[in-house]
């Protein structure tokens, strides 16, 4: 992970904190009351309601979410490297096979590398059930003995998508 990642992450975190502070400053009449002051107090302010409900979960989601975000970014970066390596290997092997230098049994390669590795429930088919089992094992391993790891999954997905 480069320093640009940490700069971007903390910049987003800082912007979010500034936004929350501005909402509090611009709407000082709330006093922890989830009613907007600008409309006579009839309409609830969604941000204040959310913040009020998530006071207890905030630190947990923050720490776990940060760890998940960093893990998601790392997963995406490493996945790109493995994707390029596997793609280049396939192109080289297929070129050699197409040119007649080697013979490749792609069905055996698929069964030995893809199915045996990813078929978590051992039913012979790689499907959604296998992906869920792998995700459960991964999250259990990544959040084991980590305090306040509740926001790990959300942070991981955000990091994997945005990284």
């Amino acid at each position: 992970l480069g320093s640009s990642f940490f700069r971007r992450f903390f910049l987003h975190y800082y912007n979010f904190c500034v936004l929350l502070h501005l909402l509090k400053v611009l709407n000082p009449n709330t006093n922890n009351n989830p009613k907007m002051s600008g409309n006579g107090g009839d309409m609830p302010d969604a941000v204040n309601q959310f913040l009020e409900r998530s006071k207890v979960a905030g630190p947990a989601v923050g720490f776990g979410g940060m760890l998940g975000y960093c893990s998601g970014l790392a997963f995406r970066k490493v996945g790109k490297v493995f994707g390029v390596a596997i793609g280049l290997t396939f192109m080289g092997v297929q070129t050699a096979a197409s040119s007649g230098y080697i013979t490749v049994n792609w069905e055996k390669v698929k069964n030995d590398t893809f199915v045996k590795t990813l078929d978590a429930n051992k039913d012979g088919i790689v499907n959604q059930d296998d992906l869920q089992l792998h995700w459960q094992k991964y999250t259990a391993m990544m959040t084991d003995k980590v305090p306040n790891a509740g926001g790990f999954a959300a942070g991981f997905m955000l990091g994997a998508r945005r990284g």
Side-chain angles (χ1 to χ4, degrees):
L1 297 175
S3 63
S4 66
F5 156 73
F6 289 109
R7 242 180 294 146
R8 282 186 293 153
F9 176 78
F10 287 112
L11 180 65
H12 290 298
Y13 182 74
Y14 174 77
N15 288 339
F16 178 72
C17 291
V18 168
L19 175 67
L20 291 178
H21 178 71
L22 284 175
L23 287 172
K24 191 71 169 172
V25 169
L26 293 176
N27 196 5
N29 297 331
T30 57
N31 295 332
N32 293 328
N33 183 5
K35 300 281 185 186
M36 291 182 67
S37 61
N39 62 359
D42 294 336
M43 184 183 295
D45 182 7
V47 174
N48 282 331
Q49 283 182 344
F50 172 76
L51 292 174
E52 196 62 37
R53 282 189 226 133
S54 60
K55 273 185 180 176
V56 176
V61 172
F63 182 69
M66 182 185 69
L67 294 177
Y69 184 79
C70 294
S71 298
L73 281 174
F75 179 79
R76 183 173 178 139
K77 300 294 182 188
V78 170
K80 285 181 181 181
V81 170
F82 277 120
V84 168
I86 290 170
L88 288 173
T89 302
F90 168 74
M91 289 169 37
V93 170
Q94 184 59 26
T95 301
S98 179
S99 300
Y101 291 107
I102 60 173
T103 303
V104 179
N105 182 352
W106 286 115
E107 191 64 33
K108 181 165 176 43
V109 171
K110 179 185 90 168
N111 289 333
D112 289 350
T113 58
F114 182 74
V115 175
K116 283 184 181 177
T117 306
L118 297 178
D119 187 19
N121 58 7
K122 305 298 180 205
D123 63 355
I125 302 169
V126 177
N127 56 16
Q128 184 72 23
D129 297 336
D130 298 313
L131 295 176
Q132 287 176 341
L133 287 172
H134 283 296
W135 175 248
Q136 289 169 356
K137 288 178 186 176
Y138 177 76
T139 55
M141 179 177 56
M142 290 293 109
T143 59
D144 184 39
K145 299 178 184 162
V146 175
N148 302 330
F152 180 83
F156 182 89
M157 295 308 290
L158 184 64
R161 288 189 67 171
R162 303 263 174 147

